Amino acid sequence: MANSIYRASILQSYSQLLFQPCLSNKHCVPKKTNLLCFASSQLNPARSEVSFCIGTHLIPHPNKVERGGEDAFFVSNFKGGVIAVADGVSGWAEQNVDPSLFSKELMANASSLVGNLEVNYDPQILIRKAHAATCSKGSATAIVAMLERNGTMKVASVGDCGLRVIRKGQIIFSTTPQEHYFDCPYQLSSELVGQTYLDAVVSSVELVEGDTIVMGSDGLFDNVFDGEIVSTLAAHSDVVEAGIG
Amino acid sequence: MANSIYRASILQSYSQLLFQPCLSNKHCVPKKTNLLCFASSQLNPARSEVSFCIGTHLIPHPNKVERGGEDAFFVSNFKGGVIAVADGVSGWAEQNVDPSLFSKELMANASSLVGNLEVNYDPQILIRKAHAATCSKGSATAIVAMLERNGTMKVASVGDCGLRVIRKGQIIFSTTPQEHYFDCPYQLSSELVGQTYLDAVVSSVELVEGDTIVMGSDGLFDNVFDGEIVSTLAAHSDVVEAGIG
């Protein structure tokens, strides 16, 4: 239900099919896969509730283009909308394990579980059930954001994927990465030594009309400063242009 | 109610009376008032619900010691606990207005309204009602955090006061300052040109046992890097020592 504060929110993003690579990025040379979702809120004219309008953009690391990178994501229009990103941990390649398999299966499982009654539209529980259902060998960082119709966006994150909310040209909400030490993030794993949903940072933020959300793997946030994200958005009236530019 | 994730949380901080100045700070020379609250969670043995154990520490700018600085705060043990900071905008001094009056009255009003039924334990509504009740001339930034017994800490912030949550030696949640331009933060004001509760960033984070919360004005976060806050906490087993050290 909308009120004077939370009139509506619609997420918009770049239309790039799941796992489809795109190498165009004039702002930086990605050190690894850059995955990002852009979201801009607007009033849903049909009813005074909020929802995401979702699109995505995927830029694999140049060395990982052939298999589409190691990131994965899914989007959903269930309830207010769901966006999620997982980043396969590269180190598995040294053990002849494709690092993308775990992240892709994790996101596929999460996508199929979004409406599950036991998940109860809780991003932390979604991570728990998706992780439990994933059989591939490997590990991944993951972030899930779920928008309630009243404007509350709930976020659960394990590791160094991230999310920014931009309002009136400035970042007003950021997630913070978790890592054991440099370049070793918290991660959901096929092995017992990894982290679980219990290690997720769970937060939420109240969205308002006009907000833009940017979600991505560390490949985005390690290569593009927050100020560059904001200025890129400001320089484009259309978020699709902003993502490709 | 506690569960396996959110067993309990108790906020601990430095015991320094409201507005009592302290100039000891070996880490930096504050460019303005440093106000901070430290919080460390632990199980409440009496019942399996969470609550804050609260203390504070106030370091006025050396030039503002005589009137106790321009920051104000209040703490409360209502429900899970409430902590709040306001920072009087210095520019009012140029108009012969004591910048501390507005922030102090704002916090005093907020303190008296914590249990108000219309506030409904909502930090944004608390800001609205406290702002409406404040008669002093001036303006201030403000942040309010309210802990639910189930471990959810709700935060509302207007301007550049801030809050960090430290878990297992790393920051896992941060607020982000809002400003019109450099050194001109969003602010609640006695004048119509200021911001209101509608401009607050409203967020929440799920706390777990062992979390430490640091809240303060920009005088803290502008002078002490996040890494210094974390290392200061790590170097002391007692948060009271950490705050004074």
Side-chain angles (χ1 to χ4, degrees):
Chain A
M1 188 182 70
N3 58 28
S4 61
I5 305 170
Y6 313 120
R7 286 170 291 178
S9 178
I10 296 183
L11 185 143
Q12 302 171 331
S13 188
Y14 307 129
S15 301
Q16 196 89 17
L17 291 179
L18 208 63
F19 313 131
Q20 181 177 341
C22 174
L23 287 171
S24 65
N25 187 339
K26 70 182 182 186
H27 294 293
C28 65
V29 177
K31 78 173 189 185
K32 59 181 299 188
T33 306
N34 281 6
L35 179 56
L36 59 156
C37 301
F38 277 73
S40 180
S41 64
Q42 67 182 67
L43 191 65
N44 182 335
R47 51 185 172 179
S48 56
E49 293 183 335
V50 300
S51 62
F52 279 155
C53 173
I54 301 172
T56 61
H57 194 72
L58 182 60
I59 308 171
H61 187 285
N63 297 341
K64 302 170 185 174
V65 172
E66 282 189 13
R67 58 174 179 263
E70 294 161 356
D71 286 356
F73 66 92
F74 82 90
V75 299
S76 166
N77 63 359
F78 187 70
K79 293 195 175 180
V82 183
I83 54 178
V85 171
D87 180 1
V89 173
S90 302
W92 284 95
E94 297 167 11
Q95 300 184 38
N96 293 320
V97 174
D98 179 351
S100 73
L101 296 181
F102 189 91
S103 57
K104 289 176 179 174
E105 187 187 353
L106 183 72
M107 288 291 95
N109 288 332
S111 177
S112 68
L113 286 162
V114 159
N116 185 287
L117 288 179
E118 291 180 2
V119 168
N120 194 31
Y121 210 59
D122 180 325
Q124 190 179 31
I125 303 302
L126 183 61
I127 286 175
R128 176 172 72 83
K129 293 186 78 74
H131 186 194
T134 300
C135 301
S136 296
K137 195 170 183 68
S139 60
T141 64
I143 187 169
V144 177
M146 296 174 135
L147 182 64
E148 299 275 10
R149 289 287 193 188
N150 67 357
T152 301
M153 183 173 67
K154 302 180 294 186
V155 183
S157 177
V158 177
D160 57 8
C161 289
L163 178 149
R164 308 284 184 269
V165 177
I166 296 94
R167 179 176 300 167
K168 298 178 181 174
Q170 58 186 309
I171 290 173
I172 58 100
F173 180 86
S174 297
T175 56
T176 306
Q178 305 161 280
E179 59 181 13
H180 298 289
Y181 49 85
F182 177 70
D183 213 24
C184 181
Y186 280 31
Q187 54 202 269
L188 304 170
S189 176
S190 58
E191 312 305 305
L192 287 176
V193 294
Q195 282 64 61
T196 73
Y197 74 105
L198 293 171
D199 299 293
V201 175
V202 181
S203 59
S204 71
V205 57
E206 303 300 316
L207 298 184
V208 301
E209 184 182 355
D211 285 350
T212 299
I213 298 102
V214 177
M215 173 186 280
S217 68
D218 70 324
L220 170 65
F221 299 110
D222 284 354
N223 289 287
V224 185
F225 286 116
D226 282 354
E228 292 176 306
I229 292 174
V230 170
S231 61
T232 300
L233 291 173
H236 296 82
S237 57
D238 185 302
V239 290
V240 176
E241 287 178 21
I244 296 171
Chain B
M1 189 181 74
N3 58 30
S4 60
I5 305 170
Y6 313 120
R7 287 171 291 178
S9 176
I10 296 183
L11 186 142
Q12 302 172 333
S13 186
Y14 308 128
S15 301
Q16 196 87 15
L17 291 181
L18 209 60
F19 313 131
Q20 182 178 339
C22 174
L23 288 170
S24 65
N25 187 341
K26 70 181 180 187
H27 295 293
C28 65
V29 178
K31 76 173 189 184
K32 59 181 298 187
T33 306
N34 282 6
L35 179 55
L36 60 156
C37 302
F38 277 72
S40 181
S41 63
Q42 65 181 71
L43 191 67
N44 181 334
R47 50 185 172 179
S48 55
E49 293 181 337
V50 300
S51 62
F52 280 154
C53 174
I54 300 173
T56 61
H57 193 72
L58 181 60
I59 309 170
H61 187 286
N63 296 341
K64 303 170 184 173
V65 171
E66 282 190 11
R67 56 174 181 262
E70 294 162 356
D71 287 356
F73 66 90
F74 82 90
V75 299
S76 165
N77 63 359
F78 187 71
K79 293 196 174 181
V82 183
I83 54 178
V85 171
D87 179 1
V89 173
S90 303
W92 285 95
E94 297 167 11
Q95 300 183 38
N96 294 320
V97 174
D98 180 351
S100 73
L101 296 181
F102 188 92
S103 57
K104 288 176 180 174
E105 188 187 353
L106 183 72
M107 288 293 95
N109 288 333
S111 177
S112 69
L113 286 162
V114 158
N116 184 287
L117 288 179
E118 292 180 2
V119 168
N120 195 31
Y121 210 59
D122 180 325
Q124 189 179 31
I125 304 303
L126 182 62
I127 286 176
R128 175 172 72 82
K129 293 186 79 74
H131 186 195
T134 300
C135 302
S136 297
K137 198 171 183 66
S139 60
T141 65
I143 187 168
V144 177
M146 295 174 135
L147 182 64
E148 300 275 10
R149 290 286 192 189
N150 67 357
T152 302
M153 182 172 68
K154 301 180 295 184
V155 182
S157 176
V158 177
D160 57 7
C161 289
L163 178 149
R164 306 284 184 271
V165 177
I166 297 94
R167 179 176 299 168
K168 297 179 181 175
Q170 58 187 309
I171 290 175
I172 57 100
F173 180 85
S174 296
T175 56
T176 306
Q178 305 161 280
E179 59 182 12
H180 298 288
Y181 49 85
F182 176 70
D183 213 25
C184 180
Y186 280 30
Q187 55 202 268
L188 304 170
S189 176
S190 57
E191 313 305 305
L192 287 176
V193 295
Q195 282 64 63
T196 74
Y197 74 106
L198 294 172
D199 299 293
V201 175
V202 181
S203 59
S204 71
V205 59
E206 303 299 317
L207 297 184
V208 301
E209 185 180 355
D211 285 349
T212 298
I213 298 102
V214 177
M215 173 185 278
S217 69
D218 69 324
L220 170 65
F221 299 108
D222 285 353
N223 289 288
V224 185
F225 288 116
D226 282 354
E228 292 176 307
I229 291 174
V230 170
S231 61
T232 300
L233 291 173
H236 296 82
S237 58
D238 185 304
V239 289
V240 176
E241 286 177 21
I244 296 171

